[in-house]
Amino acid sequence: MNTADIAATRAIRRRAVPTIAGALGAALMAGLLGACGEAPRLDACAWMRDPVETAGRTVVLVDGSTSVSGPAGARDYAHSIGALLTSVVERKDTVSVGSFSGDSAQITWIAKDRSADWVKDNHNEINQKKRKQQAVSCLTDLVDKAGRAVPRSGGSNVLAALTAGTSSLEGAAGRRSLLVLTDGLSTTGCADLRAAAFRDKSEIKAITRVCAARDETPSLTGVHLTLAGLGQPATGQPAPTAAQRTWLSNLWRGLCGAGKTAAPDTSCTLAPTAIGTAERSKPRKKPPQDPAVHYAQDRPETYELPGAALFDANSSAVRPQALPLLNDVAVSARTTPGSRVTVLGYVDPRGRPDNNHQLSQARADAVKDVLTGLGVQRVTAHGRGLPTGCAKPEHTAGGRMTAEDKLQCDRRVDIEITRK
């Protein structure tokens, strides 16, 4: 090799060295970046899986029925109960989260025994604060997942869910808490509400008695129960009036024993939490057939007004003293969406038989005119003559009706408000 060839070879080598080094560096960097990109993301909730002896245990159960998880948009429990979940984390409880459905409250567990003890092996105040926030966020995600779970079967038995949740707390040391997220609309079991009237306190007492007799009322001794979301169905589902929500709340107060003297370390709380909605980005898998509760929308709410409060004897002119009473009825009718009103007039047997129907119709028409003048629409009036019977004797002294009481009840006017 001559001198020129040797010089050219050395020049090539000088250019090749940095080129090879650069290629190796680039390859190394690409490998590192690739490895970083492929590495699994850090699980911020991983520390909650470590078992720990805590002072308390909480079970969160989410109603999976169609009434709260409708196809159009579900109730968003996860992002509406932040204050409740924060309280759980503040106590450093061990938490399990599941959804329930079906007659026997089949529980689908999303997570079991997650520790919210943000202090254990963590003595740095800044890190403790971070872990506390992580715990709330992680529990929110678990509740959200439970709310999106497809029910295992149709129907909903909230009492059975309370029993199942209480059973899963057996043997737990320290405070035992059960948080149930539901609209309270059972469609199976002793508290089946599909045919409920949603307005009578005596019906609440009857349901409570039947459930106790069937031994379907859960034993909540030593359990702190919180119910959230009562009377708040999903988008597109039948919705209750304010009065019906109050009735539903009173029912669950009775069923969970909130009005009784509770055993030590026992409570039943109805959380006044407004539950938001979450529109579905895509329909969830088709759930099982789920019976609906229509809040007695096709059953009338009846006001029985005694004749003495409305008319003088043998008269169809409404007394001025009756106007405040009819105004209350008119307000109720006007504020019942889509309602129709039926006025039924009756007379007592003291009048002439040939005049009974005419007088009862005139009285019904007179009440209709007053209601119409007070802004009520869709009112019809019917004279019924003599009534077939007089109900509700329990409203009189001693539960017995005098002859005068019977006459006053006979010559009454019934006003039925039916919601459609």
Side-chain angles (χ1 to χ4, degrees), residues 37 87 98 261:
S87 296
T261 301

Side-chain angles (χ1 to χ4, degrees), residues 57-323:
R57 185 174 294 268
T58 292
V59 169
V60 183
L61 296 180
V62 183
D63 191 340
S65 62
T66 301
S67 62
V68 295
S69 300
R75 280 298 175 184
D76 186 9
Y77 292 117
H79 298 92
S80 302
I81 60 167
L84 297 174
L85 294 180
T86 298
S87 296
V88 172
V89 173
E90 288 284 356
R91 295 195 302 265
K92 311 178 189 68
D93 284 356
T94 294
V95 187
S96 297
V97 179
S99 65
F100 67 90
S101 61
D103 183 25
S104 58
Q106 302 166 356
I107 306 298
T108 299
W109 292 107
I110 304 301
K112 295 291 292 291
D113 300 334
R114 295 292 194 268
S115 171
D117 190 346
W118 41 274
V119 174
K120 180 178 173 59
D121 300 328
N122 185 13
H123 305 294
N124 184 287
E125 290 185 4
I126 296 178
N127 290 338
Q128 288 179 355
K129 182 178 180 181
K130 182 178 179 180
R131 278 204 170 180
K132 186 187 294 188
Q133 294 171 343
Q134 286 176 338
V136 174
S137 177
C138 294
L139 292 181
T140 299
D141 290 343
L142 292 175
V143 173
D144 182 63
K145 187 175 180 180
R148 297 176 184 275
V150 177
R152 293 168 61 182
S153 60
S156 177
N157 189 333
V158 180
L159 278 178
L162 300 188
T163 299
T166 302
S167 297
S168 66
L169 288 167
E170 290 181 359
R175 178 189 171 102
R176 297 186 296 159
S177 303
L178 177 60
L179 172 57
V180 180
L181 311 176
T182 177
D183 60 1
L185 296 183
S186 288
T187 56
T188 59
C190 64
D192 186 341
L193 299 180
R194 285 174 293 172
F198 286 87
R199 63 171 180 266
D200 196 337
K201 291 181 180 179
S202 64
E203 185 177 28
I204 292 176
K205 295 178 180 178
I207 293 173
T208 304
R209 287 195 300 268
V210 169
C211 289
R214 293 184 182 178
D215 198 25
E216 294 184 32
T217 304
S219 175
L220 298 171
T221 302
V223 174
H224 295 275
L225 169 65
T226 300
L227 294 166
L230 293 178
Q232 300 182 58
T235 303
Q237 297 298 306
T241 63
Q244 289 168 337
R245 282 196 299 271
T246 299
W247 184 94
L248 191 63
S249 296
N250 290 334
L251 170 67
W252 284 105
R253 284 191 180 94
L255 289 173
C256 73
K260 302 176 182 178
T261 301
D265 202 30
T266 302
S267 64
C268 176
T269 302
L270 275 57
T273 306
I275 308 299
T277 58
E279 299 299 325
R280 297 190 181 280
S281 57
K282 59 180 180 179
R284 69 173 181 174
K285 295 180 181 179
K286 186 177 180 180
Q289 291 296 319
D290 204 2
V293 176
H294 293 282
Y295 289 100
Q297 292 180 5
D298 58 347
R299 288 183 287 278
E301 181 175 5
T302 303
Y303 293 84
E304 295 184 357
L305 308 182
L310 299 175
F311 310 103
D312 292 329
N314 296 317
S315 171
S316 61
V318 176
R319 303 175 64 197
Q321 296 89 330
L323 294 181

Side-chain angles (χ1 to χ4, degrees), residues 21-35:
L24 289 175
L28 179 60
M29 183 60 69
L32 290 174
L33 291 174

Side-chain angles (χ1 to χ4, degrees), residues 306-308 347-350 387 390 393 396-397 399-412:
V347 295
D348 64 52
R350 294 179 297 180
C390 189
T396 61
R400 297 182 179 181
M401 301 187 74
T402 66
E404 182 60 27
D405 291 332
K406 180 68 166 58
L407 288 173
Q408 293 301 329
C409 189
D410 281 343
R411 54 192 287 249
R412 71 185 188 274

